[in-house]
Amino acid sequence: DAMVIQNPRYQVTQFGKPVTLSCSQTLNHNVMYWYQQKSSQAPKLLFHYYDKDFNNEADTPDNFQSRRPNTSFCFLDIRSPGLGDAAMYLCATGRNSANEQFFGPGTRLTVL
Amino acid sequence: RKEVEQDPGPFNVPEGATVAFNCTYSNSASQSFFWYRQDCRKEPKLLMSVYSSGNEDGRFTAQLNRASQYISLLIRDSKLSDSATYLCVVSGSSNTGKLIFGQGTTLQVKP
């Protein structure tokens, strides 16, 4: 089945230790998104790729970076995780602007 | 003012009840509207798109009022399995590829 896959599902890291979360998709969608979601809050868009074009949200901290080496894969790098970065990180894909998005199962990040 | 506003609830209803959620959005240029469902500690999943003419999918009915900039979701004959958080989602300005999520409305269906 076509799907969005995220690895790992659970990630524990230490304060300040870099971490990379990965997302892959078999839907062949041209747009890929990274969201951060904290408890009882709406998903917050960090950035997205429209094909190879990177679009950063104005309020996304520099601590968060992303890479998209090809259509299928996208990575979220957190350079120096702080306690406030503990959250669920959701990857999503879409076919075009403003169409519905399809989410992966998320990676739950814990920062010790 | 939030771009997409929802009553967070929780809405506690008995099985079989009809429940309605409303959502308001601020960007009159938004073109696409959705309801997503999110179970506890899971990812959001598309429940239904919302069209100007209104649309129905089984027990679920969605309505869009562009003039007043609000969206509604009606659930008839509630089931225990309907317990979840329902996210109202609106597209950003055209051609940005962004969706704006509401905080979500929590529904608890009781036996």
Side-chain angles (χ1 to χ4, degrees), chain B residues 37-40 81-86 105-108:
Chain B
R37 170 190 170 131
Q38 187 170 27
D39 292 289
C40 188
S81 57
D82 294 335
S83 298
T85 296
Y86 291 84
T105 298
T106 298
L107 173 66
Q108 289 282 352

Side-chain angles (χ1 to χ4, degrees), chain A residues 73-87:
Chain A
F73 284 86
C74 197
F75 299 96
L76 170 61
D77 300 307
I78 308 176
R79 293 193 296 189
S80 182
L83 298 179
D85 297 329

Side-chain angles (χ1 to χ4, degrees), chain A residues 10 31 33 35 37 40-43 45 48 57 88 90 97-106 108, chain B residues 31-32 34 36 38 41-46 49 87 91-92 94-99 101-104:
Chain A
Y10 301 90
V31 193
Y33 306 82
Y35 290 87
Q37 188 177 26
S40 301
Q41 295 184 21
L45 183 64
H48 73 280
E57 293 302 297
M88 173 78 94
L90 294 160
S97 301
N99 278 357
E100 61 265 29
Q101 295 178 13
F102 300 85
F103 285 82
R108 185 164 296 278
Chain B
Q31 296 295 319
S32 301
F34 310 95
Y36 276 73
Q38 187 170 27
R41 300 176 75 85
K42 302 278 190 174
E43 74 275 22
K45 292 185 178 178
L46 180 66
S49 301
L87 299 166
S91 64
S94 60
N95 300 321
T96 64
K98 290 172 55 173
L99 293 181
F101 285 77
Q103 182 184 2

Side-chain angles (χ1 to χ4, degrees), chain A residues 44-86:
Chain A
K44 178 181 181 297
L45 183 64
L46 296 174
F47 23 60
H48 73 280
Y49 278 92
Y50 196 109
D51 295 315
K52 295 182 180 180
D53 294 333
F54 177 70
N55 298 272
N56 197 34
E57 293 302 297
D59 58 353
T60 298
D62 292 340
N63 196 26
F64 292 85
Q65 303 285 320
S66 185
R67 296 170 283 136
R68 188 180 187 185
N70 53 53
T71 301
S72 301
F73 284 86
C74 197
F75 299 96
L76 170 61
D77 300 307
I78 308 176
R79 293 193 296 189
S80 182
L83 298 179
D85 297 329

Side-chain angles (χ1 to χ4, degrees), chain A residues 13-25:
Chain A
T13 191
Q14 291 179 331
F15 183 95
K17 186 174 180 182
V19 65
T20 294
L21 311 182
S22 74
C23 176
S24 63
Q25 54 129 341

